[in-house]
């Protein structure tokens, strides 16, 4: 009997390397991944995995991004502080002009239309644009024009897309992978981790009143997102939640060695395997309660 699962990959920037460790352990344990949904970093990893790349190949692709140019802006980008030109370059090299229909594994990403406020489940069209739209942190990265929508980071509405996972592959248990929920407590604000090319200016910039204000805003947004993730998980009730210990990882970092982040995902997945195995016992299969039907209030499905 095949043990099929569907993955919901959460957002979290550089923390997304942990997704690769989780996938490696699940594959080694013999689970068939019937589909994958992703938000932000989860959409980047999910799009490459759904296209057939292995976790090791995805890690190598992401590491190939030049850290000096990862946040470069493109000519014609909409208003934003930074850009995603480096990430886009790697995605285009790996995925080309592939559409969702070209992927060998079902995949979907989540974005938010800032014009209407709707959550948008992207399941058709060009995969690269869908992954970039899902990763466009408002104000930091440029929004993506898609038909009549102006799309930004899906984490604003659905950071761990369990509902979309159930739409992609109805029936199999959903394994939700979060990249930290509530931010770690801090005694005081540290230097804002800006992606500056000249690191010696980091401390000077961090002392500016403008920077301190941005730091306060970002911290408040992280706390707000944490409460939203908790509420969303309680509502959507994935069968399994894997939460790698990556709270300490800066979401905008360009690590020289992502190995420790990947290993954090591996360790968290191994610790969860007994609970996942239990889902496929005959007793649990016989008496497992029906999962909640996806709530579609103010959700647009680009299908």
């Amino acid at each position: 009997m095949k043990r099929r699962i569907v993955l919901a990959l959460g957002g979290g920037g550089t923390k997304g390397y942990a997704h690769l460790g989780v996938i490696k352990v699940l594959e080694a344990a013999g689970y068939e991944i019937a589909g994958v949904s992703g938000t932000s970093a989860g959409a980047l990893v999910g799009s490459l995995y759904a296209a057939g790349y292995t976790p090791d190949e995805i890690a190598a692709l992401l590491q190939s991004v030049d850290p000096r140019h990862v946040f470069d802006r493109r000519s014609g980008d909409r208003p934003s502080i930074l850009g995603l030109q480096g990430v886009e370059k790697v995605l285009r090299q790996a995925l080309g002009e592939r559409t969702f229909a070209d992927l060998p594994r079902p995949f979907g990403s989540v974005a938010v239309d800032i014009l209407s406020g709707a959550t948008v489940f992207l399941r058709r069209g060009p995969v690269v644009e869908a992954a970039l739209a899902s990763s466009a942190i408002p104000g930091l990265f440029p929004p993506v024009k898609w038909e009549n929508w102006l799309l930004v980071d899906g984490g604003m509405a659905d950071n761990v897309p369990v509902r979309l996972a159930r739409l992609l592959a109805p029936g199999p248990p959903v394994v939700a992978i979060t990249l930290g929920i509530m931010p770690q407590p801090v005694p005081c604000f540290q230097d804002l981790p800006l992606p500056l090319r000249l690191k010696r200016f980091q401390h000077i910039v961090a002392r500016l009143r403008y920077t301190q204000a941005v730091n306060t805003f970002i911290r408040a947004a992280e706390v707000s997102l944490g409460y939203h993730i908790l509420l969303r998980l309680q509502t959507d009730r994935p069968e399994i939640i894997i939460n790698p210990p990556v709270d300490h990882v800066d979401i905008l970092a360009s690590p020289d060695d992502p190995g420790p982040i990947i290993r954090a995902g591996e360790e968290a997945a191994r610790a969860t395997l007994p609970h996942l195995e239990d889902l496929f016992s005959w007793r649990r299969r016989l008496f497992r309660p029906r999962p909640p039907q996806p709530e579609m209030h103010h959700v647009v499905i680009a299908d």
Side-chain angles (χ1 to χ4, degrees):
M1 180 184 66
K2 291 184 177 180
R3 297 179 299 172
R4 303 174 74 242
I5 58 176
V6 56
L7 302 183
L9 307 183
T14 304
K15 301 175 185 181
Y17 278 107
H19 288 320
L20 303 177
V22 172
I23 293 172
K24 290 174 71 171
V25 169
L26 294 176
E27 286 185 334
Y31 288 96
E32 177 186 340
I33 298 175
V36 54
S37 66
T39 297
S40 198
L44 298 178
V45 171
S47 64
L48 293 167
Y49 182 66
Y53 289 95
T54 67
D56 288 340
E57 289 171 338
I58 295 172
L61 283 169
L62 296 178
Q63 278 294 101
S64 71
V65 180
D66 187 338
R68 298 170 300 173
H69 301 291
V70 62
F71 296 121
D72 284 355
R73 286 171 47 81
R74 301 169 303 177
S75 61
D77 271 347
R78 288 173 173 80
S80 63
I81 297 173
L82 303 171
L84 284 171
Q85 183 174 348
V87 175
E88 180 184 3
K89 182 179 179 180
V90 168
L91 287 178
R92 293 212 181 276
Q93 289 174 345
L95 299 173
E97 300 302 319
R98 277 185 248 193
T99 68
F100 283 81
D102 299 323
L103 300 177
R105 194 188 309 270
F107 168 67
S109 66
V110 182
V112 172
D113 175 28
I114 58 173
L115 301 179
S116 67
T119 303
V120 181
F121 289 170
L122 295 168
R123 297 171 58 188
R124 61 169 166 81
V127 177
V128 171
E129 276 72 13
L132 292 175
S134 185
S135 307
I137 300 174
L140 195 61
F141 301 128
V144 174
K145 187 73 168 66
W146 187 299
E147 298 179 354
N148 294 323
W149 300 316
L150 193 59
L151 301 179
V152 296
D153 194 318
M156 295 176 57
D158 202 352
N159 197 56
V160 187
V162 174
R163 296 177 295 171
L164 177 54
R166 288 198 172 108
L167 286 174
L168 291 171
V174 174
V175 177
I177 304 160
T178 72
L179 299 176
I181 298 177
M182 297 300 294
Q184 289 184 317
V186 293
C188 61
F189 284 144
Q190 305 299 315
D191 288 355
L192 183 68
L194 297 173
L196 297 178
R197 297 178 186 173
L198 299 177
K199 294 298 183 182
R200 64 177 178 272
F201 293 119
Q202 177 77 57
H203 187 62
I204 298 174
V205 173
R207 291 176 175 271
L208 299 177
R209 180 165 42 177
Y210 169 80
T211 308
Q212 299 266 335
V214 171
N215 204 347
T216 302
F217 173 79
I218 290 176
R219 177 69 180 181
E222 289 177 337
V223 173
S224 177
L225 178 61
Y227 281 114
H228 184 270
I229 293 173
L230 285 171
L231 179 61
R232 189 79 260 173
L233 291 174
Q234 290 171 2
T235 300
D236 296 338
R237 303 205 312 268
E239 282 75 10
I240 295 290
I241 298 175
I242 300 177
N243 186 29
V246 290
D247 291 330
H248 61 286
V249 177
D250 169 21
I251 65 171
L252 297 180
S254 297
D256 294 328
D257 178 17
I261 308 174
I262 295 173
R263 287 192 291 274
E266 292 175 344
E267 292 166 7
R270 289 193 191 100
T272 313
L273 281 179
H275 304 287
L276 186 54
E277 293 284 344
D278 187 50
L279 285 180
F280 290 89
S281 68
W282 70 268
R283 288 181 180 273
R284 287 297 298 273
R285 289 180 63 85
L286 189 61
F287 298 108
R288 191 173 74 193
R290 181 180 175 85
Q293 294 302 303
E295 175 194 345
M296 292 301 148
H297 176 67
H298 213 42
V299 170
V300 179
I301 303 174
D303 198 359

